[in-house]
Amino acid sequence: MESKRIFRKLMTKIIDLIVWLLLICFCIGRNLNKKIAKIKFMKRQNIFAIALCLCFIIQTFSQEKKEITVIEKYKQFGLVWGLIKYHHSEVSKGKYDWDSIFIENIDKLDIVTSQSELNDFLLNFILSIQTSKIKIDIDNEDLFKKNLDYDWIEQYSANDKLYNYLKQLKENTIIGDYYVVKQINRKLTAQKDSGEFKSFDYKIKSHRLLELFSYWNVIQYHYVNKYLIDTNWVSQLDYFVDGFINSNSNLEYEVQKNKLIASIKDCHAYHLSKLVSDSLIFKYKPPFRVKLVNDTLVVTGIFNNKLGEKDDLKLGDLIIEVQDQNIKSVLNKKVGSMLSFSNDSYLKRVAGWVFYNNEDSIKVKIKRKDSIIDKYIHLYKDFEVKDPSWLKSFYVEKKWQLIDNKIGYINLKEITKNELKEAFEEFSNTDGIVIDLRNAPKYISEADIPKYTYPEKRKFIKVLFPLPDRPSLAKFDTPLISYILDPFESGSKNLKYYDKRIVLLVNGSTQSRMEFIGMAIQASPNCLTIGESTAGSVMNIATFTMADGTQTNFTSLGAFYPDGTEVQKKGLKIDYFVNETTSNFTQDQYIKEAIKQIRFKS
């Protein structure tokens, strides 16, 4: 390798000399062209051609001389390794211990110093395994292509053999089912084998990089909602390669893993290791409960009356700053990069985390009536719940009841199918029904409400399925069981359906299966949706086992309304957003707005 490098340096100097000679000839020729008009070979076209050749030579050999960074070497190897894993006919069948091959080769990059040497290394790596069978399917007309991202292959265009091999592999459709399989009844992609590397040790750099690239590549090729990630997935690799290389402690490694998982911005991908939570977030906590209203935290509960009195905390206190910063800024800095959430609706769910601290006190600014109070409040590793007190709020106690003259209310949290039938019978002559989906239903499915609110069977959701044998591509489809029962349709012919106003209540806690049920309710002919943005993670999950054994999830399907509007990340369509304030939130503005809309309709 050393003699080869010396030879290349010698050749580079020779080429540099030739380039300079050509440049001199170019300048002389241009000068002659002005003086000797009869010399036809110095026409502008020829000059332009020579200039292009010179640019090509200079570009090629400057790349030859340019040193390559450690991050860039690892990144390019991880990209090629992942492409082969999911696109190679034999590797995708599990014929190779692909994780061990990663470990064996990644450290060999230490002696690679230039892009040209890296190209040779990558080509030899590819040639060291059995040649892939190649079959190209050009019929992509009806496929979803927003997740296609193979532009990185273009950087190898100067190396014909490497470039052509990668391009062919990208188009290959002869792909095995060792890593990703089709679940027969639902057409979901899932890991068939365990992704765990049995001898994993976070202290070893190559193992940490395996953790990164095994996860990064499954998202790259089989996460159907990848196109919704805020930052281009390939462009994030430099940051993560650097982070995983320089994780010198277990905590640093776990933080990087948390950030990697969080970066896909999917509520189903929630992961927070105990080491991270104990060290960075959950060490000391407050003895009270808060609710985020706009950019203010309202104290809604005190778990221990004596501890509340110690800091002169009162129910209804408005906390407007923490550590001299506004609340949302603190929340985003504290958990924004550590937790995976589809949209900002998550802030309300983790509002109390703003106080979790490594020290036993924290500075706050409290507004109480007309006074502004700056103070430090105590935090505790643990405390006894004793004589707790709660801010009184309006709520409907029964599972269903009339809440206003001729307006029904149904809370889906605990109502059974039989009770739901009774409720619709009782409300048959009302002016409208409010259906509350702010708590997860225990007994109700997406098919139960449409029995009473649809005039006929109808499709309420359009679903995007990944294609296990076509990485990065997807297709709008129905499950294989749909010839018996299509789970994306609901209702049946019903001449006595409830045809008055239906008002659906949702908020940031409306997530996953709840959103799926919500979409079914929204397809009712006279439905309005009131509330705030939902979680934006509607469909089933796929589970992936990382190299260190960590199991993490992501949403395996794409969710759309029948008109093509995306639901993943955005959440359910909202017709009227609730405007809560610190002075009115205890009155349940959701129900007040629902009553107002039904009255307006009637």
Side-chain angles (χ1 to χ4, degrees):
M1 191 73 179
E2 184 62 28
S3 59
K4 187 177 179 182
R5 228 179 353 253
I6 294 171
F7 175 74
R8 280 182 175 163
K9 286 182 180 179
L10 179 61
M11 288 302 297
T12 299
K13 290 181 179 180
I14 294 171
I15 293 298
D16 283 345
L17 180 61
I18 294 171
V19 169
W20 281 111
L21 288 172
L22 286 170
L23 282 170
I24 293 168
C25 290
F26 170 77
C27 295
I28 294 171
R30 186 176 180 185
N31 198 37
L32 286 172
N33 189 45
K34 292 179 182 178
K35 297 180 179 181
I36 310 172
K38 291 182 181 180
I39 301 178
K40 295 181 180 179
F41 60 83
M42 291 303 293
K43 289 182 179 179
R44 290 181 180 178
Q45 297 95 315
N46 293 341
I47 294 173
F48 181 68
I50 292 170
L52 284 176
C53 290
L54 288 171
C55 289
F56 177 76
I57 292 169
I58 292 168
Q59 181 182 13
T60 300
F61 288 96
S62 65
Q63 184 187 55
E64 172 81 21
K65 293 193 297 180
K66 184 181 178 182
E67 289 191 4
I68 191 167
T69 65
V70 172
I71 291 174
E72 188 63 27
K73 287 189 293 186
Y74 291 147
K75 179 176 79 170
Q76 291 188 37
F77 178 73
L79 284 166
V80 172
W81 177 84
L83 179 74
I84 295 171
K85 179 177 182 177
Y86 291 112
H87 279 272
H88 191 287
S89 65
E90 309 311 306
V91 174
S92 62
K93 290 177 183 176
K95 289 188 175 182
Y96 294 84
D97 184 350
W98 205 234
D99 288 352
S100 294
I101 286 175
F102 179 95
I103 299 297
E104 290 168 11
N105 282 274
I106 194 77
D107 289 332
K108 294 177 182 177
L109 289 168
D110 290 345
I111 59 174
V112 173
T113 60
S114 70
Q115 182 63 54
S116 178
E117 290 178 10
L118 180 60
N119 290 350
D120 291 341
F121 180 91
L122 295 174
L123 182 58
N124 289 331
F125 172 64
I126 291 169
L127 296 176
S128 69
I129 59 175
Q130 182 180 344
T131 302
S132 176
K133 297 173 186 175
I134 300 292
K135 180 183 177 183
I136 297 174
D137 188 347
I138 59 173
D139 184 16
N140 295 338
E141 182 100 4
D142 298 327
L143 300 184
F144 186 88
K145 305 181 186 70
K146 288 186 178 181
N147 288 313
L148 288 173
D149 190 1
Y150 297 88
D151 291 346
W152 58 271
I153 294 176
E154 296 304 315
Q155 67 188 306
Y156 305 111
S157 58
N159 187 316
D160 289 342
K161 197 168 183 180
L162 176 60
Y163 179 69
N164 290 331
Y165 188 89
L166 296 176
K167 291 284 279 187
Q168 278 193 329
L169 209 55
K170 175 190 82 134
E171 303 294 343
N172 180 40
T173 59
I174 303 177
I175 295 174
D177 63 355
Y178 184 76
Y179 294 109
V180 181
V181 295
K182 185 185 293 184
Q183 293 183 10
I184 300 212
N185 63 332
R186 288 180 290 174
K187 283 189 182 173
L188 300 183
T189 54
Q191 277 296 112
K192 183 176 181 180
D193 71 313
S194 171
E196 184 176 0
F197 188 65
K198 299 301 182 184
S199 59
F200 185 88
D201 184 350
Y202 80 87
K203 300 184 201 70
I204 302 173
K205 180 179 66 176
S206 59
H207 290 199
R208 298 195 302 271
L209 288 170
L210 174 64
E211 176 90 341
L212 165 61
F213 283 109
S214 62
Y215 182 82
W216 187 91
N217 278 293
V218 79
I219 297 300
Q220 171 76 348
Y221 296 113
H222 291 288
Y223 180 43
V224 75
N225 296 301
K226 186 187 74 174
Y227 72 102
L228 294 171
I229 299 175
D230 296 331
T231 306
N232 176 269
W233 192 233
V234 175
S235 70
Q236 296 191 55
L237 259 182
D238 290 79
Y239 171 79
F240 284 117
V241 171
D242 185 40
F244 275 83
I245 288 174
N246 294 301
S247 294
N248 297 315
S249 69
N250 196 10
L251 178 59
E252 289 175 344
Y253 162 70
E254 288 292 338
V255 167
Q256 283 301 317
K257 181 171 66 177
N258 262 109
K259 289 182 176 181
L260 175 65
I261 295 170
S263 65
I264 72 171
K265 300 301 179 185
D266 182 342
C267 286
H268 283 143
Y270 178 91
H271 172 77
L272 189 64
S273 73
K274 188 175 187 305
L275 178 60
V276 174
S277 65
D278 288 349
S279 302
L280 301 180
I281 299 177
F282 294 141
K283 195 168 185 180
Y284 293 96
K285 56 188 176 181
F288 54 87
R289 177 179 291 170
V290 293
K291 176 176 179 175
L292 181 63
V293 180
N294 298 320
D295 200 16
T296 300
L297 293 171
V298 184
V299 178
T300 59
I302 298 176
F303 299 118
N304 185 304
N305 186 53
K306 190 174 181 179
L307 297 181
E309 289 177 350
K310 180 179 178 180
D311 285 323
D312 187 32
L313 280 174
K314 299 184 183 301
L315 293 174
D317 276 351
L318 307 180
I319 300 174
I320 55 178
E321 285 185 5
V322 173
Q323 303 285 54
D324 297 318
Q325 300 175 70
N326 71 66
I327 305 302
K328 289 186 178 178
S329 293
V330 177
L331 274 174
N332 279 318
K333 288 177 184 177
K334 199 172 190 69
V335 300
S337 64
M338 301 295 290
L339 298 179
S340 186
F341 290 102
S342 305
N343 58 52
D344 284 346
S345 68
Y346 83 93
L347 286 174
K348 283 197 172 183
R349 282 177 277 166
V350 297
W353 292 23
V354 74
F355 300 106
Y356 294 175
N357 203 15
N358 282 326
E359 298 179 0
D360 62 1
S361 66
I362 194 167
K363 185 180 180 183
V364 298
K365 180 173 285 187
I366 296 175
K367 183 177 181 182
R368 184 183 296 163
K369 295 183 179 179
D370 295 327
S371 300
I372 301 292
I373 306 164
D374 285 296
K375 65 188 322 183
Y376 281 85
I377 57 174
H378 290 87
L379 305 173
Y380 304 88
K381 285 186 177 180
D382 199 10
F383 53 80
E384 181 184 5
V385 177
K386 188 175 181 181
D387 300 322
S389 56
W390 311 101
L391 198 64
K392 291 183 179 179
S393 299
F394 169 81
Y395 68 97
V396 181
E397 296 181 0
K398 297 182 179 179
K399 298 175 187 177
W400 82 92
Q401 69 179 65
L402 287 171
I403 55 172
D404 195 75
N405 185 30
K406 296 196 76 175
I407 295 178
Y409 170 86
I410 299 174
N411 190 331
L412 296 184
K413 182 179 180 181
E414 294 185 343
I415 196 167
T416 65
K417 297 178 191 296
N418 287 335
E419 289 170 334
L420 186 67
K421 182 181 178 182
E422 290 180 42
F424 270 96
E425 288 173 354
E426 185 177 321
F427 297 155
S428 60
N429 294 317
T430 56
D431 294 332
I433 299 175
V434 180
I435 299 177
D436 199 335
L437 191 56
R438 292 176 291 174
N439 294 290
K442 291 183 179 179
Y443 309 109
I444 299 301
S445 73
E446 67 281 352
D448 293 318
I449 304 291
K451 288 180 183 177
Y452 311 103
T453 62
Y454 284 16
E456 72 284 312
K457 180 181 283 191
R458 56 178 60 184
K459 185 176 286 290
F460 63 88
I461 188 171
K462 187 178 179 183
V463 177
L464 185 66
F465 288 83
L467 302 176
D469 55 352
R470 303 291 300 276
S472 301
L473 293 171
K475 185 177 182 180
F476 288 103
D477 209 343
T478 55
L480 294 176
I481 63 167
S482 60
Y483 67 93
I484 300 173
L485 177 66
D486 188 343
F488 306 149
E489 292 183 345
S490 204
S492 60
K493 191 168 183 63
N494 181 7
L495 298 177
K496 296 182 179 180
Y497 78 98
Y498 187 83
D499 62 355
K500 303 296 191 337
R501 174 66 77 198
I502 295 287
V503 175
L504 177 65
L505 304 183
V506 297
N507 64 10
S509 296
T510 307
Q511 177 180 343
S512 193
R513 175 175 164 268
M514 296 168 68
E515 291 176 292
F516 189 66
I517 293 172
M519 292 181 75
I521 296 171
Q522 287 182 318
S524 305
N526 296 304
C527 182
L528 278 180
T529 303
I530 288 176
E532 61 185 357
S533 297
T534 61
S537 53
V538 183
M539 299 303 296
N540 307 57
I541 62 172
T543 299
F544 178 72
T545 303
M546 301 178 76
D548 68 352
T550 298
Q551 286 199 329
T552 183
N553 302 321
F554 53 85
T555 307
S556 63
L557 305 175
F560 298 74
Y561 286 101
D563 66 2
T565 302
E566 292 164 345
V567 186
Q568 180 71 20
K569 190 169 182 178
K570 292 181 180 179
L572 299 181
K573 287 180 180 178
I574 308 294
D575 297 298
Y576 292 93
F577 282 91
V578 168
N579 182 26
E580 282 191 319
T581 67
T582 55
S583 60
N584 72 17
F585 78 95
T586 58
Q587 302 163 29
D588 201 329
Q589 298 303 304
Y590 293 77
I591 291 179
K592 288 185 71 173
E593 184 63 32
I595 292 171
K596 175 183 172 182
Q597 292 301 324
I598 291 171
R599 286 278 164 256
F600 178 77
K601 171 77 173 176
S602 59

